[in-house]
């Protein structure tokens, strides 16, 4: 049998159709993953995949379009390269990237940006000034803002507040959303969107704690011609057309920006028409970062970080409004870079962009970064795509086996595995433990708090600790200071050092709110 489908057949969910057949003992006799399809009746131009399935085991022919141009009668003429070998469910031959395992080390630190479900959340700079509420209004970016011309808009983020709190504390914001968002949400089919109309439809409540304490984070566009990673600062809120990676080190940006990772992303991700898509579950969470076992040294780590910082600074410098480079965009920079690498002659527009963006410098920095990252994996500078993918698939398998045995190479251990960190702290010798709080020195907030509260044992695990603190805040009729929260628990070891982080997490989850009192900072449930 054979199938003609859109080229999305190679994407994670759709490829299950092919995988089911392969699992039953069939093989792909012929496969073309990405081929033009022109419908002259309505002018549609899409990308398709063609597959031929045969019973039993056997050789597979994988054909790849290497060149295409319009023919005399509106058809597309193509040139095909051929390769024999076993073809996997994602219509690739060679290393089985489709079978790569999700790694624990990569989990909980990537997510799409927020999804508004309400145009009224977006405000212009002038409207933001009229509302005069910088606390809830943030800079806002989508994919086009980064790759093309930025809109310069803001967004109202009321996450963490109830409707009543929003009305009492920020009445102007409340009225703005009441008049511009609620009517739209009232028509939404999803009950939770209608009930919580003043909050984004998808506020990413589970992911927000990952960004706490970071001064910047890495983003890439979900769908783009060129796979580019860059830093956004903590004040900016990303939308769902961006994939957010909660890491702030230059080393992390460098590894992700390398051609090695881009090859992995192209092989594991899908496409929308002819534009690659970056699926965080397949492109990021399966990707094994370099470590000591691959050849990463302190010197290489420092060099990768240094080059990544230079690349990020260079792009922001030439794209800044004050640079005077009118019309220069991130996509334009990488169009020129791709032309230089292909050896193609630049157009007049590209020559201007090359001069304005100093693309020769950008290319040199990227080339040096690629060499350093390849070395950190123990690969030579001239490693082919097949070499890279085979190496990464093998490394993914090794890391998955390690994790099955209990060793996880966490990228952010303090955030991803805080329970283990807290347990280690609680096992410190007695002389290293933090002293107990002097409860008599606590300044009372109100008469009900002057009675010494009942103490409960400090829970041993992080989920129980979060729940216990949230319950203590909810049960108190008045806000609690940090010493007042500490007074509600007893336990040995420096568990109190982790309370500020727990409170930040509860704030991010909308289960606690910081307030100012005469006794200083306090929290309420």
């Amino acid at each position: 049998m054979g199938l003609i489908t859109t080229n999305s057949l190679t994407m994670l969910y759709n490829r299950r159709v092919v995988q089911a057949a392969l699992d039953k003992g069939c093989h792909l006799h012929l496969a073309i993953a990405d081929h033009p399809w022109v419908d002259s009746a309505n002018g549609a131009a899409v990308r398709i995949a063609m597959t031929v399935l045969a019973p039993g085991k056997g050789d597979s022919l994988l054909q790849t379009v290497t060149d295409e141009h319009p023919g005399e009668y509106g058809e597309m003429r193509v040139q095909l390269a051929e390769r024999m070998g076993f073809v996997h469910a994602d219509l690739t031959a060679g290393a089985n990237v489709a079978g790569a395992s999700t790694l624990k080390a990569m989990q909980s630190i990537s997510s799409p940006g927020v999804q508004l479900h309400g145009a009224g959340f977006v405000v212009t700079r002038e409207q933001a000034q009229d509302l005069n509420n910088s606390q809830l209004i943030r800079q806002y970016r989508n994919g086009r803002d980064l790759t093309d011309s930025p809109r310069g808009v803001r967004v109202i983020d009321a996450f963490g507040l109830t409707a009543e709190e929003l009305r009492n504390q920020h009445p102007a914001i409340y009225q703005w959303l009441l008049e511009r968002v609620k009517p739209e949400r009232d028509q939404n089919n999803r009950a939770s969107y209608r009930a919580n109309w003043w909050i984004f439809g998808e506020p990413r409540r589970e992911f927000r704690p990952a960004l706490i304490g970071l001064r910047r984070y890495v983003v890439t566009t979900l769908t783009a011609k060129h796979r580019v990673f860059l830093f956004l600062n903590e004040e900016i809120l990303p939308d769902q057309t961006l994939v957010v990676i909660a890491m702030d080190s230059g080393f992390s940006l460098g590894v992700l920006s390398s051609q090695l990772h881009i090859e992995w992303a192209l092989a594991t991700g899908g496409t929308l028409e002819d534009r690659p898509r970056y699926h965080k579950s397949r492109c990021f969470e399966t990707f094994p970062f370099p470590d000591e076992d691959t050849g990463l040294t302190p010197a290489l780590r420092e060099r990768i970080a240094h080059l990544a910082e230079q690349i990020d600074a260079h792009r922001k410098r030439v794209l800044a409004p004050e640079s005077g480079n009118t019309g220069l965009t991130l996509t334009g920079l990488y169009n020129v870079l791709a032309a230089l690498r292909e050896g193609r002659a630049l157009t007049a527009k590209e020559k201007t962009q090359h001069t304005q963006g100093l693309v020769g410098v950008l290319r040199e920095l990227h080339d040096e970064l690629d060499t350093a990252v390849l070395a950190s994996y123990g690969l030579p500078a001239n490693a082919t795509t097949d070499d890279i993918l085979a190496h990464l698939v093998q490394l993914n398998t090794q890391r998955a086996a390690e994790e099955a045995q209990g060793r996880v190479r966490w990228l952010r251990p303090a955030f991803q595995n805080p329970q283990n960190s807290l347990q280690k702290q609680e096992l410190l010798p007695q002389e290293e433990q933090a002293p107990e709080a002097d409860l008599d020195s606590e300044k009372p907030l109100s008469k009900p708090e002057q009675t010494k509260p009942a103490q409960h044992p400090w829970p041993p695990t992080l989920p129980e600790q979060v729940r216990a603190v949230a319950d203590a805040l909810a049960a108190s009729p008045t806000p609690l200071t940090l010493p007042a929260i500490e007074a509600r628990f007893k336990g040995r070891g420096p568990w109190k050092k982790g309370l500020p982080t727990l409170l930040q997490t509860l704030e991010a989850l909308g289960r606690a709110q910081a307030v100012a009192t005469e006794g200083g900072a306090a929290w309420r449930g």
Side-chain angles (χ1 to χ4, degrees):
M1 63 168 289
L3 292 174
I4 295 180
T5 66
T6 64
N7 61 357
S8 63
L9 181 68
T10 62
M11 297 174 69
L12 179 61
Y13 185 83
N14 298 337
R15 73 174 67 137
R16 299 179 187 182
V17 175
V18 179
Q19 188 61 57
L22 298 181
D23 291 343
K24 293 180 179 179
C26 297
H27 72 281
L28 285 168
H29 178 71
L30 170 69
I32 304 177
D34 185 56
H35 193 286
W37 177 280
V38 180
D39 184 349
S40 59
N42 57 23
V46 298
R47 311 294 297 186
I48 64 164
M50 292 180 276
T51 50
V52 177
L53 192 71
K57 305 295 182 182
D59 291 333
S60 303
L61 174 62
L62 178 65
Q63 294 186 320
T64 305
V65 175
T66 58
D67 185 44
E68 57 187 84
H69 56 273
E72 182 180 357
Y73 302 102
E75 80 281 11
M76 291 297 293
R77 296 184 178 275
V78 301
Q79 292 183 355
L80 298 170
E82 297 185 347
R83 174 177 178 175
M84 296 296 297
F86 183 79
V87 176
H88 306 290
D90 62 344
L91 307 190
T92 63
N96 185 19
V97 295
S101 302
T102 299
L103 301 176
K104 293 179 182 178
M106 316 296 290
Q107 293 180 14
S108 303
I109 57 174
S110 64
S111 172
V114 300
Q115 194 163 0
L116 304 187
H117 289 282
F121 287 110
V122 178
V123 295
T124 64
R125 186 174 306 175
E126 293 74 22
Q127 290 168 336
Q129 291 174 348
D130 292 340
L131 289 168
N132 193 26
N133 197 308
S134 60
Q135 183 180 352
L136 298 185
I137 298 179
R138 303 175 61 180
Q139 296 183 57
Y140 188 52
R141 299 287 189 277
N142 64 17
R144 182 165 291 182
D145 288 329
L146 300 185
T147 60
D148 202 337
S149 300
R151 298 167 295 167
V153 298
R154 307 291 191 269
V155 67
I156 299 171
D157 183 13
F159 178 77
L161 296 176
T162 65
E164 184 176 359
E165 289 170 337
L166 182 62
R167 185 175 60 194
N168 292 338
Q169 299 172 27
H170 313 284
I173 294 287
Y174 179 88
Q175 178 170 292
W176 179 279
L177 298 179
L178 180 71
E179 296 175 349
R180 292 167 173 80
V181 174
K182 191 174 186 300
E184 181 179 345
R185 283 291 188 86
D186 286 342
Q187 305 304 315
N188 199 289
N189 292 329
R190 187 173 296 186
S192 62
Y193 289 177
R194 296 194 301 271
N196 300 289
W197 55 267
W198 68 97
I199 299 173
F200 305 149
E202 300 296 336
R204 309 303 177 195
R205 66 181 69 245
E206 298 86 359
F207 181 68
R208 289 188 181 229
L211 296 175
I212 293 176
L214 298 184
R215 60 186 177 88
R216 61 185 184 179
Y217 54 87
V218 178
V219 296
T220 188
T221 48
L222 175 63
T223 304
K225 179 180 179 181
H226 304 292
R227 180 55 50 205
V228 180
F229 296 82
L230 62 155
F231 280 130
L232 290 184
N233 70 52
E234 61 182 338
E235 300 172 354
I236 298 173
L237 194 67
D239 91 335
Q240 76 275 7
T241 61
L242 296 174
V243 178
V244 184
I245 299 171
M247 302 178 73
D248 63 353
S249 70
F251 172 73
S252 302
L253 178 65
V255 173
L256 294 172
S257 299
S258 69
Q259 191 61 33
L260 179 141
H261 177 64
I262 292 171
E263 296 286 3
W264 180 260
L266 289 172
T268 55
T271 57
L272 179 62
E273 298 173 347
D274 60 345
R275 291 167 294 160
R277 289 172 68 86
Y278 191 88
H279 293 280
K280 64 110 177 173
S281 60
R282 294 306 303 166
C283 301
F284 179 74
E285 293 182 354
T286 61
F287 179 69
F289 259 60
D291 207 341
E292 291 85 353
D293 64 331
T294 64
L296 178 65
T297 64
L300 274 175
R301 177 183 290 272
E302 183 177 350
R303 176 156 179 76
I304 291 169
H306 178 64
L307 289 167
E309 297 283 6
Q310 286 185 289
I311 289 171
D312 198 57
H314 177 85
R315 294 181 304 210
K316 289 174 178 174
R317 183 169 55 251
V318 299
L319 293 174
E322 56 270 23
S323 69
N325 295 330
T326 306
L328 187 62
T329 66
L330 190 68
T331 298
L333 285 178
Y334 282 86
N335 281 340
V336 175
L337 178 58
L340 293 177
R341 286 177 166 173
E342 294 167 4
R344 174 175 61 80
L346 300 182
T347 64
K349 180 180 178 180
E350 288 173 336
K351 288 178 180 178
T352 300
Q353 293 173 326
H354 179 273
T355 301
Q356 291 180 336
L358 301 174
V359 182
V361 174
L362 182 64
R363 178 186 183 180
E364 190 171 69
L365 289 171
H366 269 293
D367 289 347
E368 292 177 11
L369 176 67
D370 291 340
T371 299
V373 173
L374 284 168
S376 74
Y377 282 91
L379 290 170
N382 61 350
T384 65
T385 298
D386 287 346
D387 294 336
I388 290 171
L389 296 180
H391 186 79
L392 290 175
V393 166
Q394 182 181 10
L395 186 57
N396 171 275
T397 302
Q398 292 174 1
R399 295 285 171 80
E402 281 184 357
E403 293 184 348
Q405 298 297 319
R407 183 184 181 186
V408 181
R409 299 173 188 263
W410 304 105
L411 292 186
R412 289 183 56 195
F415 169 74
Q416 294 172 295
N417 193 30
Q419 180 179 336
N420 186 56
S421 300
L422 287 174
Q423 288 176 344
K424 288 181 179 180
Q425 290 175 359
E426 291 172 2
L427 294 176
L428 291 173
Q430 181 66 33
E431 59 269 21
E432 295 184 22
Q433 295 178 2
E436 294 294 324
D438 182 2
L439 302 181
D440 294 333
S441 65
E442 177 188 341
K443 183 176 181 179
L445 294 175
S446 62
K447 289 183 179 180
E449 283 193 34
Q450 292 180 12
T451 302
K452 187 174 180 179
Q455 287 189 313
H456 301 282
W458 182 247
T461 67
L462 183 63
E464 293 172 317
Q465 293 163 7
V466 172
R467 191 179 306 114
V469 175
D471 291 344
L473 295 176
S476 175
T478 57
L480 298 178
T481 62
L482 189 59
I485 298 171
E486 293 173 348
R488 280 155 172 74
F489 300 97
K490 57 183 178 181
R492 303 185 63 183
W495 55 270
K496 295 170 188 173
K497 293 181 179 179
L499 270 179
T501 300
L502 289 180
L503 289 167
Q504 286 182 333
T505 300
L506 288 171
E507 284 186 70
L509 294 174
R511 299 185 63 186
Q513 182 182 2
V515 296
T517 69
E518 293 181 0
W523 289 263
R524 64 183 179 189

